[in-house]
Amino acid sequence: MIKVLLYEMDNPTPSTAPALPPVPRPVRRKKRGVNAFGATLVVAIFLAFLFTAWMPDSIFAANLSEQLSLILTPQPVSVVNALNTPQPQLRIGIVAGHSGNDSGAVCRDSTGQVTLTEADVNMKIASLVQKQLVDRGFQVDLLNEFDTRLNGYRAVALVSIHNDSCDYVNDQATGFKVSSSMDTRDVNRATRLIACLVDRYERATGLTFHSGSITGDMREYHAFSEIDPNTITAIIETGFLNLDRTILTNHTELVADGVVQGILCFVKNENVEPTPSPTFAP
């Protein structure tokens, strides 16, 4: 008996009590990434706040909703590409009358020495017109009188710059003239180009529209039949080299600005006063 007890003490019987379940370890949850849309919204609101720091109230009020919509709305690839593609420049042609061909009208002093040529005046005005239009974002071709590029030339407008005689005619031989092609496909647009040039040039220079002496040479100017028929064109004689010589030579920037304003009026479809109908001289 004692041996049995000692045996049991030395070799205890395994317990039949159920084992306790293991204590679960706390699971560390990974922080989820910030929702992409939420981040975009925060950025958009931040940008909108920055805009208000420097943009005028009127501009901000008008464009904020469009800006936020553009930022928050996913854009198709084609739309994004279109927004990022530079818009083509409008092409305008400026002809420097007689340039590359002849001198045009020639002014001489009392001894017969040449003091001024029409071609030189035309080129100076045309070059300034080109520069002003280029500065405004247009693509401008400065063309010679019989430039080979005139053949089939395509542009939103073509203006040829000339001047009238150096000789004294009478006290009325002052002012400017404008004419366009007689065979244009778009009479309305051609008429509008003339109206814009007359109105803006007269305002800029103070010279009067000399409608009574527009000649057949102006109405049948050779470039009219050489360029693409869809190109709207005009010829302007910016003044008389005799009585208007001072403004043409000493205030050339003002003369050029008058031509530029006339072209911009046409291209931008600005308001213009009706132009008196010219009476054509033979």
Side-chain angles (χ1 to χ4, degrees), residues 7-177:
Y7 178 78
E8 291 178 351
M9 292 177 65
D10 295 336
N11 302 279
T13 302
S15 174
T16 59
L20 295 175
V23 178
R25 295 181 180 180
V27 178
R28 292 185 178 181
R29 297 182 181 272
K30 294 183 178 180
K31 294 183 179 180
R32 295 181 179 178
V34 179
N35 185 278
F37 178 79
T40 304
L41 180 59
V42 171
V43 172
I45 294 174
F46 178 71
L47 290 175
F49 173 77
L50 292 180
F51 291 157
T52 60
W54 60 272
M55 289 182 64
D57 293 340
S58 60
I59 298 178
F60 177 77
N63 297 331
L64 176 59
S65 60
E66 296 179 4
Q67 292 168 351
L68 291 178
S69 176
L70 183 61
I71 294 173
L72 300 178
T73 304
Q75 301 293 328
V77 175
S78 59
V79 174
V80 173
N81 291 339
L83 291 174
N84 294 332
T85 301
Q87 298 301 311
Q89 294 177 303
L90 291 178
R91 179 186 293 274
I92 296 172
I94 302 296
V95 176
H98 300 279
S99 176
N101 184 63
D102 60 82
S103 59
V106 178
C107 303
R108 302 177 186 273
D109 62 16
S110 58
T111 65
Q113 295 295 316
V114 175
T115 59
L116 189 67
T117 67
E118 179 192 351
D120 289 340
V121 177
N122 296 343
M123 177 57 76
K124 187 175 181 180
I125 296 171
S127 298
L128 290 172
V129 170
Q130 179 194 34
K131 183 181 183 304
Q132 289 191 34
L133 289 173
V134 168
D135 290 344
R136 286 170 168 81
F138 295 94
Q139 181 178 350
V140 185
D141 298 313
L142 184 59
L143 305 166
N144 288 332
E145 182 64 70
F146 291 97
D147 203 302
T148 56
R149 290 174 290 174
L150 286 172
N151 186 23
Y153 185 79
R154 301 186 67 179
V156 65
L158 173 76
V159 176
S160 184
I161 296 174
H162 289 255
N163 278 282
D164 215 318
S165 174
C166 292
D167 299 328
Y168 175 81
V169 179
N170 54 44
D171 290 344
Q172 285 71 48
T174 177
F176 67 98
K177 313 172 191 178

